[in-house]
Amino acid sequence: MSAESLLVRKIDWGTVLDHIPAWRADQVVRLLNLESLKRDADVSVIVLYNVPSRKLGRKDIVKLYHYMVSEEEAKILALVFPQITINYIRDWKVEKHSPGLPTEIVGKIRCPETTCITNVEREPATPRYIVMREHGVIACEYCDTLLEIERIPDFLRE
Amino acid sequence: MVGLVLRSPAGGGREGDTPLALKNTIRGRDIISCRDLSRGDAELIFSLTEEVVSGAARLENTLAERKIALIFVEPSTRTFQSFYVAARSLGAEVLSIHDPEVSSIAKGETLYDTMKMIEGYGADCIVLRHPARGAARFAAEVASVPVINAGSGSQEHPTQALLDVFTIKSKLGSVDGIRVGMLGDLRFSRTIPSLCYLLSNYSNVKTYFMAPPLLQVRREIELYLSERGVEYRKVVEVDEIREVMPELDVLYVTRIQKERFPDPTEYEKVKGSYVVDARLLSYGRRELGVMHPLPRVDELSPEVDKLPNAWYFEQARNGLPLRKALLYLILGEAG
């Protein structure tokens, strides 16, 4: 019996995001914009911090009860947290999901360049990035500014 | 292949035989980044510019039915004036915002709304200068008519690069194989990225980035050049500048802006090292051409003006025929 199961019971329907680096679960919550679900009575979010892990030493887990992470969201999670495990749960059955990597990211990340048009107040320009995985960066499609993939969590939009 | 036909009510134009028997790949297009321009696109623009300069192509009144909007949200002298004179000499009606302080932009109007409004007034083409990086690309998404980037913050200034490379070509005969030193503020200059991108279309061009570490080129430019196999070298030490001078065909100088330095003493330390004067040019080849997008402050000594190396006034002059050719290619009936 794992430490996790001692802490939180299994879910019958939803998504379990496992092997999140320790103390990074908040970034996952922000990346998925889970706060937008607060009016959704069916959804529960269970966050476990700093759980012992054979693979990582310590890890975070996010359980999303009655919420299925979209393919687009799964791809971004896989890009930012390469070690993450995404499990879809349907009727207690666990289905491990291995998403591909995104080629483009729309709307989730603010541009690190303060003078970018996407950072101009009231301007309806949605940030859009091309993923350049081979160079470890994403590039703003408007202003060309590069952002290292590992820095993406620092630039998540509120 | 569609022949490019130059219409001229004055009778001075000629039909599209060589060199203008080229497909007009520019018609109806946005000009946002030099990365979007192929060598063929650039050569087409240069061919017509040459004809405008020589008088072989007279484009007067060829855009008589057109409206061109000049939206300049940042100060400009040369770019605004040359676009204005070019548009008027082509016979186009000009709608302009040159002083944002007296327009609704000062009241906080968004670029989105400005684009929608200008388009609603019937503009056939919008020339935009804006302080925000990415503004021109955003404007091009908003507007259904072609948008020309006349400077998007520190990002790009494609029509400046076009006139720069046109100048190099007309002075040297060819752009392939040239060695270009770029000196000054390479990090915040909008002309440098555009020039690098456009030059990357030519073979065997080598670029020397001559600037202190704080003002060196941005990473996206290095990445782009590397991906396209373009050779470049960073020259950081002042002593190195003299060393590479003999290798250069062109020395492209940009202004170092004091306000870019977090510590004023850092500026004081480097400013003298990046002044181009007759003494520095004495380390270079006799034929070395000195270019500058202007305006200049202290970085380019007036004593260079008298030397045959000074190309910058001719460079600035080329802005008018080039922008005339460009507007004609985008909006005219050619091709």
Side-chain angles (χ1 to χ4, degrees):
Chain A
M1 187 174 276
S2 71
E4 176 208 336
S5 60
L6 287 172
L7 296 167
V8 181
R9 69 177 172 83
K10 286 184 175 180
I11 60 173
D12 63 341
W13 196 274
T15 314
V16 176
L17 305 170
D18 201 354
H19 299 113
I20 300 164
W23 303 109
R24 305 280 291 276
D26 288 351
Q27 293 175 341
V28 172
V29 170
R30 277 171 59 209
L31 211 149
L32 296 174
N33 195 20
L34 294 177
E35 229 188 285
S36 67
L37 301 171
K38 63 186 168 191
R39 287 175 202 278
D40 194 330
D42 290 340
V43 177
S44 301
V45 180
I46 303 133
V47 181
L48 297 168
Y49 296 100
N50 210 31
V51 176
S53 161
R54 259 176 297 171
K55 200 167 149 192
L56 301 176
R58 292 275 168 179
K59 66 178 180 181
D60 286 1
I61 299 167
V62 175
K63 286 190 172 193
L64 303 164
Y65 186 48
H66 285 169
Y67 182 81
M68 292 296 181
V69 165
S70 73
E71 186 62 21
E72 187 205 355
E73 290 167 334
K75 283 181 176 180
I76 299 171
L77 286 171
L79 177 75
V80 181
F81 305 104
Q83 288 155 316
I84 203 166
T85 308
I86 299 168
N87 294 311
Y88 290 132
I89 320 289
R90 292 183 179 93
D91 286 331
W92 306 104
K93 288 192 190 101
V94 180
E95 177 196 317
K96 191 172 172 180
H97 182 57
S98 303
L101 292 173
T103 52
E104 193 182 45
I105 301 174
V106 180
K108 296 195 174 295
I109 302 156
R110 72 187 153 80
C111 184
E113 171 59 60
T114 52
T115 67
C116 177
I117 190 74
T118 60
N119 286 323
V120 175
E121 204 183 340
R122 293 184 299 105
E123 208 65 78
T126 306
R128 213 166 59 215
Y129 297 84
I130 292 283
V131 177
M132 302 168 83
R133 185 75 192 84
E134 66 282 18
H135 298 291
V137 292
I138 59 174
C140 174
E141 285 188 52
Y142 285 106
C143 84
D144 306 326
T145 297
L146 304 179
L147 175 64
E148 289 76 19
I149 287 167
E150 65 266 22
R151 291 180 68 212
I152 288 176
D154 299 334
F155 290 93
L156 294 174
R157 291 176 92 194
E158 294 301 331
Chain B
M1 175 87 72
V2 181
L4 204 160
V5 181
L6 298 182
R7 204 160 53 87
S8 169
R14 65 190 177 91
E15 296 232 323
D17 50 12
T18 53
L20 290 171
L22 300 165
K23 184 178 180 191
N24 185 357
T25 52
I26 301 297
R27 188 160 193 220
R29 271 176 64 181
D30 299 312
I31 305 293
I32 304 301
S33 164
C34 280
R35 289 176 307 180
D36 304 334
L37 295 172
S38 68
R39 179 171 178 154
D41 294 334
E43 292 297 328
L44 171 72
I45 297 164
F46 298 159
S47 296
L48 186 54
T49 306
E50 258 168 47
E51 299 232 342
V52 172
V53 171
S54 70
R58 291 175 58 193
L59 307 177
E60 279 69 20
N61 294 317
T62 49
L63 299 184
E65 307 295 317
R66 304 296 200 146
K67 283 184 194 163
I68 296 173
L70 306 182
I71 310 299
F72 279 61
V73 188
E74 256 196 340
S76 167
T77 307
R78 273 153 297 277
T79 308
F80 180 86
Q81 293 301 341
S82 58
F83 265 116
Y84 183 84
V85 175
R88 292 295 298 132
S89 72
L90 292 165
E93 195 179 325
V94 176
L95 316 167
S96 77
I97 298 176
H98 191 197
D99 184 356
E101 293 306 313
V102 295
S103 76
S104 288
I105 294 164
K107 298 178 197 162
E109 184 172 75
T110 60
L111 177 60
Y112 179 89
D113 286 357
T114 306
M115 287 297 109
K116 286 291 180 200
M117 178 198 72
I118 290 294
E119 207 178 2
Y121 292 160
D124 296 295
C125 175
I126 299 168
V127 180
L128 175 72
R129 171 167 291 188
H130 196 280
R133 292 174 64 96
R137 195 161 297 284
F138 177 60
E141 286 176 3
V142 175
S144 59
V145 297
V147 171
I148 301 175
N149 182 2
S152 47
S154 60
Q155 183 184 22
E156 276 211 60
H157 192 355
T159 62
Q160 176 70 46
L162 281 164
L163 73 91
D164 293 341
V165 178
F166 174 78
T167 304
I168 294 171
K169 196 182 174 201
S170 61
K171 298 296 276 186
L172 298 177
S174 170
V175 183
D176 292 317
I178 60 162
R179 302 284 178 262
V180 185
M182 299 184 189
L183 183 141
D185 183 350
L186 310 181
R187 181 166 180 76
F188 297 100
S189 158
R190 55 176 151 230
T191 66
I192 295 295
S194 292
L195 183 57
C196 289
Y197 300 150
L198 198 58
L199 286 174
S200 73
N201 283 320
Y202 294 84
S203 47
N204 197 27
V205 171
K206 184 171 177 183
T207 308
Y208 297 81
F209 295 123
M210 304 149 95
L214 190 64
L215 300 180
Q216 271 292 342
V217 280
R218 291 167 64 105
R219 191 170 156 217
E220 65 261 20
I221 298 169
E222 287 188 68
L223 199 63
Y224 185 84
L225 296 182
S226 301
E227 287 213 316
R228 302 205 74 188
V230 178
E231 202 182 339
Y232 67 88
R233 175 178 156 189
K234 284 185 183 176
V235 178
V236 175
E237 299 299 327
V238 173
D239 294 343
E240 260 186 293
I241 293 175
R242 287 185 207 126
E243 272 170 42
V244 301
M245 284 294 285
E247 296 179 39
L248 304 180
D249 298 298
V250 174
L251 178 63
Y252 194 99
V253 188
T254 62
R255 193 158 50 103
I256 291 193
Q257 295 165 69
K258 193 177 180 176
E259 61 272 22
R260 304 294 189 200
F261 288 80
D263 179 357
T265 57
E266 285 299 311
Y267 169 76
E268 293 303 323
K269 259 190 254 171
V270 300
K271 70 170 188 186
S273 313
Y274 294 91
V275 171
V276 175
D277 53 16
R279 187 159 173 273
L280 180 67
L281 295 184
S282 70
Y283 292 98
R285 293 169 45 219
R286 208 161 53 90
E287 313 78 24
L288 170 70
V290 179
M291 300 179 76
H292 193 303
L294 304 176
R296 63 174 154 177
V297 186
D298 300 320
E299 68 283 358
L300 183 54
S301 167
E303 69 186 19
V304 180
D305 297 0
K306 300 181 218 84
L307 302 175
N309 310 82
W311 292 2
Y312 35 89
F313 292 123
E314 184 176 339
Q315 177 191 0
R317 269 200 307 276
N318 285 334
L320 178 57
L322 186 128
R323 289 176 174 122
K324 211 165 151 180
L326 181 66
L327 288 172
Y328 177 78
L329 287 167
I330 291 172
L331 289 174
E333 292 182 357

